[in-house]
Amino acid sequence: MYWQKDKEMSNGSTTLMSTSWAQNFTAVHRYELHESASYITGFVYAWILGGIVNVVVNVVVVLAIRRSATLDKPAHKVMASLAVADFLMGILQVLILPAIVLKHPSRGYCLFFCYFATCSGLMSVGTLTLLTADRYIAVTRPLNYYSIVTERRVKIAITATWLMAPALGSTVLIKNRWTANTACIYEHAVGKGALLVDTLNISLCMLVMTATYAYMMYVSRRHRRRVEQQRPAASATAGTVTEAGVSHSTGEDSISGQPSAQKASKSARRELLQQLKLMKTFGIIVGTFIVCWLPFYVLIFLENTGVYRDVSGALRSVSYTLLFFNSFMNFFIYSWRSGEFRAAFIAVFRCSG
């Protein structure tokens, strides 16, 4: 009987200890979320300002591509799709105000915010993957580029990307970790399985894009060497043709095809150099994307594996800032790298004025 009482007391104390531990763990977890959210709040207004800039410049990019006759290549249509994805990220930056500043947003609003963020990210990385595939074909198969990359195929690829993103984004709604009376922080509200799938998906795309651009840089160097080697040969041929034309007035039929061949060769070289320049521009865009997005997913991985916990929210705020600000950087990259884009942007601003 005494043994039974001792056992009951032991079980009661164990239950009490486990309940106390669970309450303490929940309290600590909520404290960390509160502290993290408080730190992030200081960055919110900068994100909203960046979101307004984001929305404006990406609308300008889309209008410039639609109105300019020089920006009508298949790659430019994919760039317009990327601008729309970045535009949605700008809308997300404005939506983040009530999601973060409000201490306890509703379940529906928090999960909608997480779903919208996931879809925007997947649309961006999917479109960048399309741009990488476009440049790969342009650099490795330049003569067959326009027969492979047709307008119809580009539209199908863009549509498939935009349909796939919402489907994959719906995984964040499954087994979510949203709890009442806590801040809406993406990596704490989304389920661990969805975070893992999202991280693996984007990390794989980053790896593929990096490897592909490294290979394209190797191929582009070979193309440049061939172009440089062909220039002296073309000049020598032109000189021979000129001398033949002056010294033999009866030999017009034998040299009549030379000028057109030279023009075709120059046109092909010019087209190749334009494609290589566009490849470098896209390489800068992809590199900027990786630099801005990688810290966010590294932090998610470290927190979900228990290696590191960002209690203050400092690193989280920096990773969010890089992620959001990446969306309007493309406008400035286009302006820096392309005279055609600069002229198209000026035309859009003049029409707006």
Side-chain angles (χ1 to χ4, degrees):
M1 187 170 178
Y2 288 105
W3 176 79
Q4 262 187 340
K5 286 184 179 180
D6 289 341
K7 186 178 180 182
E8 288 175 2
M9 289 176 65
S10 176
N11 290 340
S13 61
T14 303
T15 305
L16 183 61
M17 287 176 62
S18 62
T19 304
S20 177
W21 179 87
Q23 289 174 349
N24 289 335
F25 176 80
T26 304
V28 169
H29 182 62
R30 288 182 179 178
Y31 173 77
E32 290 177 354
L33 289 180
H34 176 71
E35 289 298 309
S36 181
S38 299
Y39 201 100
I40 290 174
T41 303
F43 286 78
V44 168
Y45 299 103
W47 296 339
I48 293 173
L49 179 61
I52 295 170
V53 175
N54 189 351
V55 169
V56 172
V57 298
N58 281 295
V59 168
V60 171
V61 171
V62 173
L63 291 176
I65 293 174
R66 284 180 60 87
R67 294 179 180 179
S68 176
T70 58
L71 303 177
D72 59 346
K73 291 184 174 64
H76 293 125
K77 291 180 173 55
V78 184
M79 293 167 77
S81 174
L82 178 61
V84 175
D86 289 337
F87 168 84
L88 293 178
M89 187 62 73
I91 298 296
L92 178 69
Q93 288 173 243
V94 178
L95 290 176
I96 200 173
L97 176 61
I100 299 272
V101 174
L102 293 177
K103 292 183 179 180
H104 311 304
S106 66
R107 176 191 179 91
Y109 189 92
C110 183
L111 293 181
F112 171 75
F113 168 76
C114 295
Y115 175 72
F116 198 95
T118 305
C119 290
S120 299
L122 290 173
M123 287 172 189
S124 294
V125 74
T127 307
L128 285 172
T129 305
L130 290 182
L131 284 175
T132 303
D134 172 88
R135 289 301 88 199
Y136 178 80
I137 296 171
V139 171
T140 58
R141 304 184 66 180
L143 299 178
N144 300 323
Y145 172 74
Y146 288 105
S147 62
I148 297 173
V149 185
T150 62
E151 186 173 351
R152 180 173 176 272
R153 288 174 179 172
V154 168
K155 289 180 178 179
I156 292 173
I158 292 173
T159 303
T161 301
W162 280 78
L163 290 176
M164 194 180 303
L168 291 175
S170 61
T171 56
V172 302
L173 305 176
I174 302 172
K175 293 184 179 180
N176 62 83
R177 293 180 291 171
W178 179 89
T179 53
N181 301 322
T182 56
C184 180
I185 297 177
Y186 179 85
E187 54 269 37
H188 292 155
V190 174
K192 286 190 175 182
L195 283 176
L196 179 62
V197 171
D198 190 25
T199 302
L200 289 176
N201 181 26
I202 292 190
S203 299
L204 180 62
C205 289
M206 287 181 180
L207 183 63
V208 169
M209 288 188 288
T210 302
T212 304
Y213 271 100
Y215 177 73
M216 285 192 290
M217 291 299 294
Y218 168 73
V219 174
S220 67
R221 287 180 181 176
R222 288 195 306 176
H223 285 332
R224 282 189 177 278
R225 287 173 187 170
R226 289 177 184 175
V227 170
E228 290 173 359
Q229 290 172 358
Q230 288 174 358
R231 283 177 180 174
S235 300
T237 303
T240 304
V241 170
T242 304
E243 291 174 5
V246 172
S247 58
H248 302 285
S249 59
T250 59
E252 292 179 1
D253 292 341
S254 62
I255 63 172
S256 60
Q258 290 293 336
S260 61
Q262 291 173 17
K263 288 181 179 178
S265 178
K266 287 182 179 179
S267 177
R269 287 199 300 271
R270 190 182 302 111
E271 176 68 19
L272 177 60
L273 292 176
Q274 287 178 351
Q275 296 286 16
L276 293 178
K277 183 178 180 181
L278 198 58
M279 183 207 73
K280 283 188 175 181
T281 302
F282 289 163
I284 294 170
I285 291 170
V286 170
T288 304
F289 175 85
I290 292 174
V291 169
C292 292
W293 282 67
L294 191 59
F296 174 74
Y297 284 100
V298 169
L299 183 61
I300 285 180
F301 176 78
L302 293 177
E303 287 201 332
N304 278 275
T305 54
V307 176
Y308 173 78
R309 182 175 292 278
D310 185 27
V311 178
S312 68
L315 292 180
R316 182 175 293 106
S317 299
V318 173
S319 66
Y320 278 8
T321 302
L322 288 173
L323 187 149
F324 288 142
F325 279 27
N326 170 247
S327 299
F328 66 75
M329 289 181 183
N330 293 342
F331 171 83
F332 299 102
I333 294 173
Y334 299 152
S335 302
W336 164 46
R337 294 284 303 173
S338 173
E340 294 175 344
F341 265 108
R342 284 195 297 271
F345 292 156
I346 291 171
V348 170
F349 284 123
R350 283 177 178 173
C351 290
S352 301

